[in-house]
Amino acid sequence: MRLNKETFITGFALFSMFFGAGNLILPPSLGFKAGDMWFWVTIGFVISAVLLPLLGIFAHARLQGTMLDFGKKVSPTFSLLYCFIVYAISISLPSPRTASVTHEMAIQPFFGSSSLLTSSVYFGIVLFFVLNRSKILTVLGKFLTPIIFIVILSIICIGMFSEHVPMNISDFETPIIKGLLEGYQTFDAIGAVVVGGVVIISLKLKGKQSFEENRRLIRDAGLIAGIGLFIVYAGLIFNGALFNGTFEKEISRTELLSGLSLQTLGNIGSTFLSVLVSLACFTTAVGIVTGTADFIKGVFKESHQAYVITAVVGCVLGVVMGQLDVHDIIVVAIPALMFIYPITIVLILLNVLPDKLAPVAVFRSVVLVTILFSLPDFLASIGFKDQVQPILEIIPLGIYSLAWLLPAITTFIISSIFIKLLKAKQ
């Protein structure tokens, strides 16, 4: 790992684009509910919200193209459709969610203004940054991320050494799986394939054309971002568990985060938390809208006009969807995540592998099986749980919303063996 100023700036920029609304409010709530099982839910959460995104960045470092390259081995049509779905979800759910969290935690308590005003000003500033995308890595990595990291570490460290009542006993039956599925809600694996492309294009705009140089820089920056995410997630989950006897059991995610900041930083904690929430959410929104605009620009043969139009549409959509509260957006996101997240995970893992271990036939087989076995979980999440429950009970891990996992692994092993046997006969 080669550490220098540019590696740290790029790594911090990656961290800031990953770390947004869900990343801030989900871990404390998970730890709060987990209680004495906080360590085990942390393992699950880290797998889906740190390890998989890190592998996604490694895959980008290996491919160094666009997000279209993630699914090209399946087929160009599949890849294009997958990208459109991911970008549509990204600008419709996690991006507006950043504005909703900012309004609920950083604006409304102090100014009492409308969510429409907050979202309009918020995405107006986002649009300015997106239209000046050549400076994104420097601004995010050099200036905004250190502020975010310092405030979060202050809350975590003070909380760890504060007095608190004993932890409550958890009622989670499968804490690791609970943490794994909660990590879906951070959108970090999807974020990896989106913001990884932003980093690659930003590096090219800065004149970095060497494939090997970019590969090393992206890989090392990804490790820095991954370490930062791990520290923050584990710390926030642990703090939520430490204070799970302090607050009411039915406390909302945003109220819990506000309560933790007050317990650790005192009255000034509200001000610090407002700054933290605003910056964390803002940097993620910039990364999402920029990534979407970059993609549409590439589809329309590097048209700058397409880039600008997409940026404007993304910000307008953010204003409209930002009128929903945080809980509503999280609820709406669940069905989309149940379908697209398993596909994203499989594409990341397959793209990290060398070509000889993941040839076209293996790629297609595993992705097809993943799509097929993701459908029951998706149908259950949109109101057909009673109809698909018998199917989910038959499939291993189906009752844990992981019906796709073992079939995908089995398909990878069988198809790999089959292809090797075919080659041996030739």
Side-chain angles (χ1 to χ4, degrees), residues 175-344:
I176 293 180
I177 293 178
K178 181 65 177 176
L180 182 76
L181 295 177
E182 192 75 359
Y184 277 22
Q185 283 284 357
T186 64
F187 287 89
D188 280 355
I190 292 176
V193 297
V194 173
V195 303
V198 175
V199 170
I200 289 172
I201 293 175
S202 297
L203 291 175
K204 289 180 179 178
L205 288 174
K206 292 172 71 174
K208 301 251 174 229
Q209 299 297 335
S210 167
F211 185 92
E212 182 59 30
E213 184 180 31
N214 279 348
R215 186 189 66 82
R216 188 183 302 111
L217 176 59
I218 296 167
R219 182 198 62 198
D220 293 348
L223 282 172
I224 291 174
I227 292 170
L229 289 174
F230 172 77
I231 293 171
V232 169
Y233 289 155
L236 289 175
I237 290 173
F238 184 49
N239 266 258
L242 287 174
F243 287 92
N244 79 335
T246 304
F247 303 103
E248 294 292 330
K249 189 175 182 180
E250 301 303 320
I251 191 171
S252 70
R253 292 178 174 92
T254 53
E255 289 172 343
L256 175 61
L257 186 59
S258 297
L260 286 177
S261 68
L262 185 63
Q263 290 283 335
T264 55
L265 300 178
N267 292 328
I268 200 174
S270 297
T271 303
F272 276 114
L273 183 62
S274 298
V275 173
L276 170 62
V277 167
S278 300
L279 291 178
C281 291
F282 175 76
T283 53
T284 297
V286 170
I288 290 173
V289 176
T290 302
T292 306
D294 280 337
F295 170 71
I296 299 298
K297 178 182 178 181
V299 171
F300 286 91
K301 299 179 180 179
E302 300 302 315
S303 168
H304 181 69
Q305 185 178 11
Y307 180 91
V308 173
I309 291 174
T310 305
V312 172
V313 170
C315 289
V316 171
L317 187 59
V319 172
V320 174
M321 291 294 292
Q323 303 315 299
L324 297 174
D325 63 34
V326 177
H327 176 73
D328 289 339
I329 295 177
I330 289 176
V331 170
V332 171
I334 291 175
L337 291 172
M338 286 294 101
F339 180 70
I340 203 66
Y341 226 86
I343 300 171
T344 301

